[in-house]
Amino acid sequence: PQAIITVANYTKETQISKNTQQASFNHGEIFMLQSNWKSQILVIDVQDTEKGRPFGKVQIPLSSLEGKDKVQDLIGLNPGQPSITLTLSASIRFPFANRN
C-alpha cells in the first residue's frame, strides 16, 4: 500500500509498503499553509499498489485540528469495509505566532 497526502496545492506520497497487510507508513510532513488554511482539507488516500485500486481515503478539515491534535486516532478508510483503518496523528502549529 501507499498513502497519498494532499493539503491545498501540496501532494506528498509515502514509500510503498510491500508484502504486508498492516502497512506502517510513519510519514511526517510539514506544509507551509496560506492565510486561508481554515478552509483547507487534509486528504489521505491509501492505495493498494499491488492490485491497483484504492483502499479508501479520509478527509479532515484543517480547522478541526486547531487546538485539538489527533494522536493515534483510529479512522475508517472505507465505510463498506470497517476493517480497513488508518491510525493517524496530526496537528497544526503556528511557528511565528505571538508568544507572551
Side-chain angles (χ1 to χ4, degrees):
Q2 180 180 42
I4 301 161
I5 303 156
T6 305
V7 176
N9 60 339
Y10 299 102
T11 299
K12 301 288 182 174
E13 296 180 353
T14 65
Q15 296 288 327
I16 294 174
S17 293
K18 295 182 179 181
N19 303 322
T20 181
Q21 291 188 2
Q22 293 186 345
S24 180
F25 299 116
N26 292 325
H27 185 84
E29 200 65 56
I30 295 175
F31 296 100
M32 301 301 287
L33 302 172
Q34 303 298 317
S35 59
N36 67 340
W37 67 270
K38 285 187 178 185
S39 66
Q40 301 298 320
I41 296 174
L42 167 66
V43 179
I44 303 171
D45 185 5
V46 182
Q47 297 290 316
D48 182 339
T49 53
E50 292 179 15
K51 295 182 180 176
R53 63 179 187 194
F55 277 120
K57 69 180 175 181
V58 62
Q59 297 185 28
I60 301 167
L62 293 184
S63 60
S64 73
L65 296 174
E66 185 177 17
K68 302 173 203 149
D69 294 354
K70 291 195 177 294
V71 180
Q72 295 186 346
D73 281 8
L74 187 64
I75 300 171
L77 287 174
N78 185 334
Q81 294 181 296
S83 63
I84 299 177
T85 60
L86 172 75
T87 303
L88 173 72
S89 294
S91 62
I92 294 263
R93 295 289 180 264
F94 302 96
F96 302 109
N98 288 337
R99 296 179 188 161
N100 295 330

mmCIF file of all heavy atoms in Angstrom, residues 54-80:
data_model
loop_
_atom_site.group_PDB
_atom_site.id
_atom_site.type_symbol
_atom_site.label_atom_id
_atom_site.label_comp_id
_atom_site.label_asym_id
_atom_site.label_seq_id
_atom_site.Cartn_x
_atom_site.Cartn_y
_atom_site.Cartn_z
ATOM 1 N N PRO A 54 -8.049 1.565 -4.875
ATOM 2 C CA PRO A 54 -7.994 2.269 -3.586
ATOM 3 C C PRO A 54 -8.465 1.402 -2.421
ATOM 4 O O PRO A 54 -9.367 0.588 -2.577
ATOM 5 C CB PRO A 54 -8.938 3.447 -3.792
ATOM 6 C CG PRO A 54 -9.899 2.987 -4.832
ATOM 7 C CD PRO A 54 -9.141 2.032 -5.722
ATOM 8 N N PHE A 55 -7.814 1.591 -1.275
ATOM 9 C CA PHE A 55 -8.329 1.023 -0.029
ATOM 10 C C PHE A 55 -9.400 1.957 0.524
ATOM 11 O O PHE A 55 -10.362 1.530 1.118
ATOM 12 C CB PHE A 55 -7.224 0.867 1.018
ATOM 13 C CG PHE A 55 -6.414 -0.378 0.872
ATOM 14 C CD1 PHE A 55 -5.048 -0.305 0.654
ATOM 15 C CD2 PHE A 55 -6.980 -1.638 0.958
ATOM 16 C CE1 PHE A 55 -4.282 -1.452 0.531
ATOM 17 C CE2 PHE A 55 -6.230 -2.791 0.841
ATOM 18 C CZ PHE A 55 -4.873 -2.689 0.627
ATOM 19 N N GLY A 56 -9.172 3.242 0.352
ATOM 20 C CA GLY A 56 -10.108 4.250 0.833
ATOM 21 C C GLY A 56 -9.367 5.527 1.159
ATOM 22 O O GLY A 56 -8.158 5.618 0.988
ATOM 23 N N LYS A 57 -10.138 6.525 1.624
ATOM 24 C CA LYS A 57 -9.498 7.780 1.978
ATOM 25 C C LYS A 57 -10.236 8.448 3.116
ATOM 26 O O LYS A 57 -11.392 8.128 3.401
ATOM 27 C CB LYS A 57 -9.403 8.715 0.785
ATOM 28 C CG LYS A 57 -10.699 9.287 0.287
ATOM 29 C CD LYS A 57 -10.419 10.201 -0.895
ATOM 30 C CE LYS A 57 -11.712 10.696 -1.512
ATOM 31 N NZ LYS A 57 -11.440 11.556 -2.667
ATOM 32 N N VAL A 58 -9.534 9.360 3.738
ATOM 33 C CA VAL A 58 -10.104 10.134 4.835
ATOM 34 C C VAL A 58 -9.882 11.611 4.518
ATOM 35 O O VAL A 58 -8.863 11.976 3.926
ATOM 36 C CB VAL A 58 -9.473 9.726 6.191
ATOM 37 C CG1 VAL A 58 -7.994 9.998 6.227
ATOM 38 C CG2 VAL A 58 -10.162 10.408 7.341
ATOM 39 N N GLN A 59 -10.866 12.430 4.865
ATOM 40 C CA GLN A 59 -10.771 13.877 4.656
ATOM 41 C C GLN A 59 -10.989 14.563 5.997
ATOM 42 O O GLN A 59 -12.001 14.324 6.662
ATOM 43 C CB GLN A 59 -11.815 14.341 3.650
ATOM 44 C CG GLN A 59 -11.614 13.731 2.287
ATOM 45 C CD GLN A 59 -12.590 14.281 1.261
ATOM 46 O OE1 GLN A 59 -13.046 15.408 1.366
ATOM 47 N NE2 GLN A 59 -12.901 13.475 0.265
ATOM 48 N N ILE A 60 -10.022 15.404 6.376
ATOM 49 C CA ILE A 60 -10.075 16.082 7.672
ATOM 50 C C ILE A 60 -9.938 17.585 7.453
ATOM 51 O O ILE A 60 -8.900 18.042 6.958
ATOM 52 C CB ILE A 60 -8.936 15.583 8.591
ATOM 53 C CG1 ILE A 60 -9.055 14.078 8.789
ATOM 54 C CG2 ILE A 60 -8.952 16.328 9.922
ATOM 55 C CD1 ILE A 60 -7.841 13.449 9.414
ATOM 56 N N PRO A 61 -10.949 18.363 7.802
ATOM 57 C CA PRO A 61 -10.808 19.821 7.700
ATOM 58 C C PRO A 61 -9.689 20.291 8.639
ATOM 59 O O PRO A 61 -9.637 19.885 9.802
ATOM 60 C CB PRO A 61 -12.164 20.352 8.162
ATOM 61 C CG PRO A 61 -13.097 19.192 8.056
ATOM 62 C CD PRO A 61 -12.270 17.970 8.275
ATOM 63 N N LEU A 62 -8.802 21.128 8.120
ATOM 64 C CA LEU A 62 -7.703 21.615 8.958
ATOM 65 C C LEU A 62 -8.224 22.389 10.155
ATOM 66 O O LEU A 62 -7.628 22.350 11.234
ATOM 67 C CB LEU A 62 -6.742 22.480 8.145
ATOM 68 C CG LEU A 62 -5.948 21.764 7.058
ATOM 69 C CD1 LEU A 62 -4.964 22.728 6.414
ATOM 70 C CD2 LEU A 62 -5.214 20.552 7.598
ATOM 71 N N SER A 63 -9.344 23.064 9.991
ATOM 72 C CA SER A 63 -9.908 23.830 11.116
ATOM 73 C C SER A 63 -10.247 22.929 12.302
ATOM 74 O O SER A 63 -10.228 23.371 13.443
ATOM 75 C CB SER A 63 -11.147 24.603 10.668
ATOM 76 O OG SER A 63 -12.140 23.718 10.188
ATOM 77 N N SER A 64 -10.521 21.647 12.044
ATOM 78 C CA SER A 64 -10.843 20.721 13.135
ATOM 79 C C SER A 64 -9.613 20.334 13.944
ATOM 80 O O SER A 64 -9.732 19.762 15.027
ATOM 81 C CB SER A 64 -11.522 19.461 12.597
ATOM 82 O OG SER A 64 -10.588 18.633 11.918
ATOM 83 N N LEU A 65 -8.414 20.654 13.437
ATOM 84 C CA LEU A 65 -7.180 20.325 14.152
ATOM 85 C C LEU A 65 -6.695 21.460 15.048
ATOM 86 O O LEU A 65 -5.824 21.256 15.891
ATOM 87 C CB LEU A 65 -6.065 19.976 13.159
ATOM 88 C CG LEU A 65 -6.280 18.737 12.308
ATOM 89 C CD1 LEU A 65 -5.175 18.617 11.273
ATOM 90 C CD2 LEU A 65 -6.357 17.501 13.177
ATOM 91 N N GLU A 66 -7.251 22.655 14.871
ATOM 92 C CA GLU A 66 -6.795 23.807 15.641
ATOM 93 C C GLU A 66 -7.090 23.587 17.125
ATOM 94 O O GLU A 66 -8.236 23.495 17.541
ATOM 95 C CB GLU A 66 -7.477 25.079 15.161
ATOM 96 C CG GLU A 66 -6.945 26.315 15.843
ATOM 97 C CD GLU A 66 -7.583 27.592 15.315
ATOM 98 O OE1 GLU A 66 -8.638 27.522 14.665
ATOM 99 O OE2 GLU A 66 -7.008 28.655 15.560
ATOM 100 N N GLY A 67 -6.046 23.449 17.905
ATOM 101 C CA GLY A 67 -6.183 23.233 19.342
ATOM 102 C C GLY A 67 -6.653 21.841 19.712
ATOM 103 O O GLY A 67 -6.939 21.575 20.872
ATOM 104 N N LYS A 68 -6.763 20.931 18.744
ATOM 105 C CA LYS A 68 -7.268 19.575 19.003
ATOM 106 C C LYS A 68 -6.438 18.572 18.212
ATOM 107 O O LYS A 68 -6.894 18.029 17.205
ATOM 108 C CB LYS A 68 -8.731 19.449 18.577
ATOM 109 C CG LYS A 68 -9.663 20.411 19.251
ATOM 110 C CD LYS A 68 -11.043 20.320 18.649
ATOM 111 C CE LYS A 68 -11.787 21.607 18.892
ATOM 112 N NZ LYS A 68 -12.721 21.939 17.870
ATOM 113 N N ASP A 69 -5.223 18.341 18.631
ATOM 114 C CA ASP A 69 -4.359 17.385 17.937
ATOM 115 C C ASP A 69 -5.018 16.016 17.866
ATOM 116 O O ASP A 69 -5.749 15.608 18.766
ATOM 117 C CB ASP A 69 -3.024 17.227 18.669
ATOM 118 C CG ASP A 69 -2.188 18.486 18.648
ATOM 119 O OD1 ASP A 69 -2.566 19.467 17.977
ATOM 120 O OD2 ASP A 69 -1.140 18.489 19.314
ATOM 121 N N LYS A 70 -4.751 15.326 16.794
ATOM 122 C CA LYS A 70 -5.155 13.927 16.689
ATOM 123 C C LYS A 70 -3.922 13.099 17.047
ATOM 124 O O LYS A 70 -2.862 13.285 16.468
ATOM 125 C CB LYS A 70 -5.620 13.598 15.274
ATOM 126 C CG LYS A 70 -6.932 14.262 14.912
ATOM 127 C CD LYS A 70 -7.528 13.647 13.677
ATOM 128 C CE LYS A 70 -8.864 14.232 13.349
ATOM 129 N NZ LYS A 70 -9.907 13.948 14.303
ATOM 130 N N VAL A 71 -4.053 12.231 18.007
ATOM 131 C CA VAL A 71 -2.938 11.402 18.449
ATOM 132 C C VAL A 71 -3.377 9.944 18.398
ATOM 133 O O VAL A 71 -4.217 9.514 19.176
ATOM 134 C CB VAL A 71 -2.475 11.778 19.871
ATOM 135 C CG1 VAL A 71 -1.310 10.897 20.303
ATOM 136 C CG2 VAL A 71 -2.080 13.246 19.937
ATOM 137 N N GLN A 72 -2.847 9.248 17.435
ATOM 138 C CA GLN A 72 -3.142 7.837 17.216
ATOM 139 C C GLN A 72 -4.644 7.566 17.161
ATOM 140 O O GLN A 72 -5.153 6.634 17.767
ATOM 141 C CB GLN A 72 -2.446 6.972 18.263
ATOM 142 C CG GLN A 72 -0.934 7.051 18.149
ATOM 143 C CD GLN A 72 -0.219 6.092 19.078
ATOM 144 O OE1 GLN A 72 -0.808 5.535 19.997
ATOM 145 N NE2 GLN A 72 1.051 5.907 18.824
ATOM 146 N N ASP A 73 -5.350 8.400 16.411
ATOM 147 C CA ASP A 73 -6.789 8.196 16.191
ATOM 148 C C ASP A 73 -6.985 7.094 15.161
ATOM 149 O O ASP A 73 -6.359 7.102 14.107
ATOM 150 C CB ASP A 73 -7.445 9.471 15.665
ATOM 151 C CG ASP A 73 -7.725 10.488 16.748
ATOM 152 O OD1 ASP A 73 -7.269 10.281 17.884
ATOM 153 O OD2 ASP A 73 -8.401 11.488 16.456
ATOM 154 N N LEU A 74 -7.863 6.167 15.447
ATOM 155 C CA LEU A 74 -8.196 5.092 14.527
ATOM 156 C C LEU A 74 -9.358 5.566 13.653
ATOM 157 O O LEU A 74 -10.433 5.881 14.145
ATOM 158 C CB LEU A 74 -8.592 3.831 15.297
ATOM 159 C CG LEU A 74 -8.799 2.567 14.474
ATOM 160 C CD1 LEU A 74 -7.494 2.142 13.807
ATOM 161 C CD2 LEU A 74 -9.322 1.458 15.362
ATOM 162 N N ILE A 75 -9.106 5.638 12.339
ATOM 163 C CA ILE A 75 -10.066 6.205 11.406
ATOM 164 C C ILE A 75 -10.377 5.183 10.319
ATOM 165 O O ILE A 75 -9.458 4.602 9.736
ATOM 166 C CB ILE A 75 -9.492 7.488 10.770
ATOM 167 C CG1 ILE A 75 -9.189 8.521 11.861
ATOM 168 C CG2 ILE A 75 -10.442 8.054 9.733
ATOM 169 C CD1 ILE A 75 -8.434 9.724 11.372
ATOM 170 N N GLY A 76 -11.645 4.986 10.036
ATOM 171 C CA GLY A 76 -12.043 4.095 8.954
ATOM 172 C C GLY A 76 -11.781 4.727 7.598
ATOM 173 O O GLY A 76 -12.061 5.902 7.391
ATOM 174 N N LEU A 77 -11.221 3.949 6.683
ATOM 175 C CA LEU A 77 -10.937 4.443 5.339
ATOM 176 C C LEU A 77 -12.063 4.153 4.360
ATOM 177 O O LEU A 77 -12.186 4.817 3.333
ATOM 178 C CB LEU A 77 -9.654 3.799 4.793
ATOM 179 C CG LEU A 77 -8.353 4.275 5.382
ATOM 180 C CD1 LEU A 77 -7.202 3.448 4.844
ATOM 181 C CD2 LEU A 77 -8.128 5.741 5.057
ATOM 182 N N ASN A 78 -12.853 3.128 4.656
ATOM 183 C CA ASN A 78 -13.864 2.687 3.707
ATOM 184 C C ASN A 78 -15.098 2.245 4.497
ATOM 185 O O ASN A 78 -15.064 1.202 5.151
ATOM 186 C CB ASN A 78 -13.305 1.536 2.868
ATOM 187 C CG ASN A 78 -14.245 1.095 1.789
ATOM 188 O OD1 ASN A 78 -15.455 1.246 1.892
ATOM 189 N ND2 ASN A 78 -13.681 0.521 0.739
ATOM 190 N N PRO A 79 -16.188 3.021 4.443
ATOM 191 C CA PRO A 79 -17.385 2.654 5.208
ATOM 192 C C PRO A 79 -17.921 1.263 4.872
ATOM 193 O O PRO A 79 -18.507 0.607 5.715
ATOM 194 C CB PRO A 79 -18.408 3.721 4.819
ATOM 195 C CG PRO A 79 -17.612 4.852 4.284
ATOM 196 C CD PRO A 79 -16.368 4.258 3.693
ATOM 197 N N GLY A 80 -17.689 0.798 3.646
ATOM 198 C CA GLY A 80 -18.165 -0.522 3.247
ATOM 199 C C GLY A 80 -17.329 -1.658 3.804
ATOM 200 O O GLY A 80 -17.759 -2.812 3.787
#
